[in-house]
Amino acid sequence: MTRVVVAGAGIGGLTLGIALARAGVTVDLHERATELREVGAAVALSANGTRLLYRLGVGEALDAVSTQPTELIHRDGRTGARIAAHPGGAAYRARFGAPYWGVHRVDLQQALAAAFVDAAGAEHLHLGHAVTAVDTDGGTLTLDDGSEVGGDVVVGADGVHSTVRDAVTGPGTGPRYSGTSAFRGLVPVDALPSLPDPLAIQFWAGPDAHLLHYALGRDDDTVNFFAVLCGPATWEGGTREARDGELLDAFAGWHPAVREMLAAVPQSPRWPLLSQPALTRWTRGRAALIGDACHAMLPHHGQGANQSIEDAVVLAHLIVEHDPATALAAYPRRRRARTRAIAASAWDTGTLLHLADDHPRLVERDRRFAGYLPANDWVHEHDAADLTTTTRSPA
Ligand code: FAD
């Protein structure tokens, strides 16, 4: 019987653990954090992710704590004019066969962790166990207490700063700063009287910046925002404290609803947005990478977590159906083209959201926003659990 050990119990690691344990595979998750808590505030999950969560038995629980956006709206950031809109809610669910959710990360983590413990047993979730080294040929993870754990397959689900990735692809192959950075916040809907369509997911586009927000949670009473700025040109290290007023100054002259939202809560630290250059290796020896460990992408498509879920489900299917070597050989072939296409599309979306007023691509931008669906049906309609279909790529 195949035994799997996983570094990281984030969205991808937990999903992989549930899928394997439900199929009877022995799987242990080793997570650096001592408790599974919020990593960032919120996450939006689209049908390509949520249909898989339903199949894994966590759909109902998550539906109960999520908001379904009423619409996807693109607006001009200064005038507030609607550039384009697409129906959300029941219409989206009918179109793609699964919902779009805005959910608190802590709710998502806890639902996934509960399902994993139910399927595998609490003794297979090891918190406070940081992986410090990996032997890809021997299939072992070294933990920070010096002990070693081994399996037929070891999986790096340890996120954007992955230790396992360094062992699989070599040091220095990790993500790069994108030249863009962001602030985020959670605002009570009641604090946003100027906001049109507060329960929609909305992009407000403008020169060198954009604002994304959506409602989330059980009571539809909170809006999560993510304000992206071009620059600075270089960035060292992780998040940094920003100067007082740095965020609002960057959005001077923007629509009152935008400024009202940004001013409604204390300014967050400023985050560098990272993007992983495409990796040719996703596996080495007995080790494989999933999620941000191998394809951290810009968040402008809301697809990083969804792609981690897809990776997890595909890898679990292959491990259940094949011997480990065959499974690991097949896995990147199933996933590489799709994740690369989505990462490239997320990058391009960021460019379109930040065009100057006189930019020659403005007409194209508005046409692309108007045609978001069906142009992006290939992202949302995908069923990663169906290993008999090949990935449909962007038109
Ligand atoms: P993570 O969820 O980061 O999990 C990695 C886990 O590994 C963590 O629990 C970590 O503690 C653990 N770990 C790390 N190192 C070690 C170690 N050495 N040993 C043991 N454990 C370790 N995606 C979407 O789909 N929709 C969105 O709306 C969305 N919004 C986003 C907004 C922002 C601002 C950002 C930055 C990202 C967003 N994403 C979104 C992307 C999404 O958050 C990630 O793609 C997703 O969390 C990746 O899941 P993962 O399991 O690969 O990694």
Side-chain angles (χ1 to χ4, degrees), residues 65-320:
V65 293
S66 299
T67 296
Q68 294 188 39
T70 50
E71 277 181 286
L72 164 66
I73 303 173
H74 287 90
R75 292 182 186 272
D76 181 298
R78 271 80 51 77
T79 66
R82 278 179 174 234
I83 298 169
H86 299 277
Y92 176 92
R93 192 171 189 148
R95 180 174 186 145
F96 295 111
Y100 197 107
W101 288 329
V103 60
H104 286 283
R105 276 182 192 244
V106 67
D107 289 338
L108 176 60
Q109 291 269 70
Q110 286 179 356
L112 292 174
F116 176 72
V117 166
D118 179 55
E123 67 277 17
H124 292 282
L125 179 58
H126 310 276
L127 301 179
H129 281 203
V131 172
T132 56
V134 186
D135 176 353
T136 56
D137 290 335
T140 55
L141 301 176
T142 304
L143 305 176
D144 55 356
D145 63 1
S147 63
E148 288 189 348
V149 291
D152 305 293
V153 177
V154 297
V155 179
D158 49 346
V160 64
H161 301 295
S162 169
T163 301
V164 184
R165 180 186 55 237
D166 289 347
V168 169
T169 66
T173 52
R176 304 280 186 273
Y177 171 57
S178 63
T180 55
S181 53
F183 294 80
R184 45 217 276 204
L186 285 176
V187 187
V189 173
D190 291 348
L192 302 170
S194 311
L195 181 64
D197 306 301
L199 298 185
I201 179 165
Q202 304 201 58
F203 287 92
W204 301 70
D208 293 331
H210 80 269
L211 174 72
L212 161 70
H213 62 82
Y214 51 88
L216 77 167
R218 188 188 303 267
D219 301 318
D220 302 354
D221 58 355
T222 305
V223 166
N224 172 66
F225 77 75
F226 186 56
V228 177
L229 302 175
C230 292
T234 59
W235 192 290
E236 294 301 324
T239 59
R240 69 162 171 78
E241 289 305 317
R243 159 182 70 73
D244 272 356
E246 192 168 304
L247 173 59
L248 263 184
D249 289 354
F251 283 85
W254 284 56
H255 190 272
V258 170
R259 291 180 55 78
E260 178 182 75
M261 188 179 299
L262 302 180
V265 287
Q267 181 177 274
S268 75
R270 189 163 175 166
W271 295 63
L273 295 186
L274 306 178
S275 178
Q276 173 67 56
L279 293 173
T280 45
R281 288 201 85 103
W282 285 33
T283 63
R284 180 184 292 274
R286 295 182 181 200
L289 303 171
I290 68 171
D292 278 11
C294 61
H295 49 62
M297 57 186 70
L298 293 178
H300 313 317
H301 247 328
Q303 280 297 317
N306 288 293
Q307 293 311 304
S308 299
I309 293 167
E310 289 188 14
D311 285 350
V313 166
V314 170
L315 183 58
H317 268 260
L318 292 169
I319 289 171
V320 169

Side-chain angles (χ1 to χ4, degrees), residues 9-33:
I11 295 166
L14 285 166
T15 305
L16 177 68
I18 299 165
L20 289 171
R22 290 262 156 85
V25 175
T26 303
V27 52
D28 283 272
L29 309 185
H30 296 274
E31 164 60 46
R32 178 173 58 189

